[in-house]
Amino acid sequence: MDLRLLSSFLAVVEEGHFGRAAARLFLSPPAVTQHVRRLESEVGARLLHRNPVSLTPAGARLVGHARGLLAAANAAMDDMADLVQDRESDTVRPLRVGIMGHGSAELTPAAINAYRRARPEVPVELRQLDFTEHVTALLQDSVDVAFVRPTPDDERVLADVLTTEQRIVVVPETSPLADARELGAYLQDIADLPFFRLPSHTPRPFTEYLYFHDEAQRRSAHYALTPQEVLTGVVTGCAAGSGLKSFARYYGWPGAVYVPVLDAPWESSYLAIRADDSNPEVRIFRALTIALAQELGPLVAR
């Protein structure tokens, strides 16, 4: 059972009002209403009367259990916090966060800010990753967590899906394909685009993602390792690029046109960590990010 649903339910019970409960939880009233409905669906019974708010018999019975479960969860988190504090030395090791491109769009800064609020005593270092560091940044211990796409194909890395989005291509405004910016294009329409090249040591999953899993995809002579280099090649007519739909919100360059690829499979962005990493800060960051992805992920994909 999702503890957030119980928290919203108890807030409504204690406040006697959905709006006041939402303000207390820093959520929107529709979000609190949805949490209560999901909880009612899970337990199979109506828990609250509306207008005015009052407990049903089932709701009254659940209140005690809900408080006990939340108290136990809080106790567990306090115990973990004590453990982490005991292990900390005078010099606190920073949490190193790697971000490929724009990461997981709006979810990336939301996760970093949530972690900073939860663990203000731990410094956070941000590092921009280029396309060749899809896996190596973690395996070479350059970062502790990484926002990447697509999923790393390496058993030494664990990855959680954060967002799933439509694919796009980026072309210069002089390209014939630019006219499809509103209606979109199909894979057959982009087969002849001169996509930029990647160094030979770029991980294969990223190369396949970039070229839509088309081994015969035409290549430009132009190399690129970062979104900025991609867009420089695009607006100068040297190459085309590809990405996720949210790329357009973060890189609105004059002269670059973003065209949806209607029949390309949607792709996901991920939070990746080392599979054998025992750092408790990594576990905390991962848990916070996954929780936020459940809330914000669908919004990012729009």
Side-chain angles (χ1 to χ4, degrees):
M1 180 177 292
D2 191 334
L3 294 181
R4 294 172 304 162
L5 307 186
L6 293 177
S7 180
S8 290
F9 166 65
L10 284 180
V12 175
V13 171
E14 292 167 0
E15 296 292 339
H17 191 274
F18 278 82
R20 290 195 296 271
R24 168 173 149 184
L25 297 171
F26 299 100
L27 296 173
S28 66
V32 172
T33 299
Q34 184 183 29
H35 284 179
V36 172
R37 286 176 179 167
R38 285 174 54 191
L39 184 60
E40 289 176 329
S41 176
E42 287 190 16
V43 302
R46 193 172 181 84
L47 302 174
L48 292 171
H49 296 298
R50 277 70 163 175
N51 299 323
V53 172
S54 63
L55 285 166
T56 66
R61 186 167 183 175
L62 181 62
V63 165
H65 295 301
R67 286 180 173 141
L69 285 170
L70 289 175
N74 289 333
M77 289 301 294
D78 289 343
D79 183 60
M80 285 299 298
D82 290 341
L83 176 62
V84 171
Q85 188 173 6
D86 289 343
R87 291 182 176 181
E88 287 176 342
S89 61
D90 292 337
T91 302
V92 179
R93 175 183 172 179
L95 183 75
R96 301 163 299 166
V97 180
I99 306 171
M100 177 181 283
H102 67 296
S104 295
E106 291 83 357
L107 184 59
T108 300
I112 293 169
N113 290 333
Y115 176 80
R116 281 174 165 156
R117 289 192 296 269
R119 302 287 294 150
E121 67 276 19
V122 180
V124 175
E125 293 182 359
L126 305 181
R127 180 184 168 191
Q128 201 69 39
L129 305 180
D130 67 40
F131 300 147
T132 69
E133 297 176 294
H134 179 239
V135 175
T136 56
L138 281 168
L139 298 183
Q140 295 176 2
D141 197 24
S142 298
V143 298
D144 301 303
V145 298
F147 290 90
V148 300
R149 72 184 69 85
T151 182
D153 183 19
D154 193 303
E155 63 184 9
R156 295 169 293 177
V157 175
L158 294 178
D160 299 288
V161 174
L162 299 183
T163 65
T164 302
E165 302 179 53
Q166 186 180 40
R167 295 297 307 280
I168 61 168
V169 291
V170 191
V171 297
E173 60 186 5
T174 55
S175 168
L177 198 62
D179 293 336
R181 72 182 78 193
E182 299 296 335
L183 296 178
Y186 294 90
L187 287 171
Q188 65 181 16
D189 301 320
I190 68 172
D192 292 331
L193 285 180
F195 285 101
F196 64 86
R197 291 181 179 273
L198 293 170
S200 59
H201 61 281
T202 304
R204 185 177 181 84
F206 186 83
T207 302
E208 292 177 343
Y209 155 81
L210 173 70
Y211 299 130
F212 294 89
H213 301 273
D214 182 359
E215 291 292 337
Q217 185 68 58
R218 181 182 172 192
R219 309 287 193 269
S220 164
H222 184 81
Y223 279 85
L225 292 177
T226 67
Q228 290 78 13
E229 291 175 352
V230 170
L231 289 166
T232 298
V234 169
V235 298
T236 56
C238 296
S242 73
L244 301 180
K245 184 178 179 181
S246 59
F247 185 92
R249 296 200 297 273
Y250 279 76
Y251 298 102
W253 279 36
V257 175
Y258 303 90
V259 180
V261 184
L262 303 177
D263 58 343
W266 285 33
E267 292 278 1
S268 299
S269 66
Y270 297 80
L271 180 73
I273 65 172
R274 287 181 291 276
D276 62 353
D277 197 330
S278 61
N279 183 351
E281 299 303 331
V282 170
R283 295 199 298 271
I284 293 171
F285 188 92
R286 182 188 183 196
L288 285 170
T289 303
I290 292 172
L292 281 170
Q294 294 172 352
E295 293 285 342
L296 301 179
L299 298 176
V300 172
R302 290 179 181 174

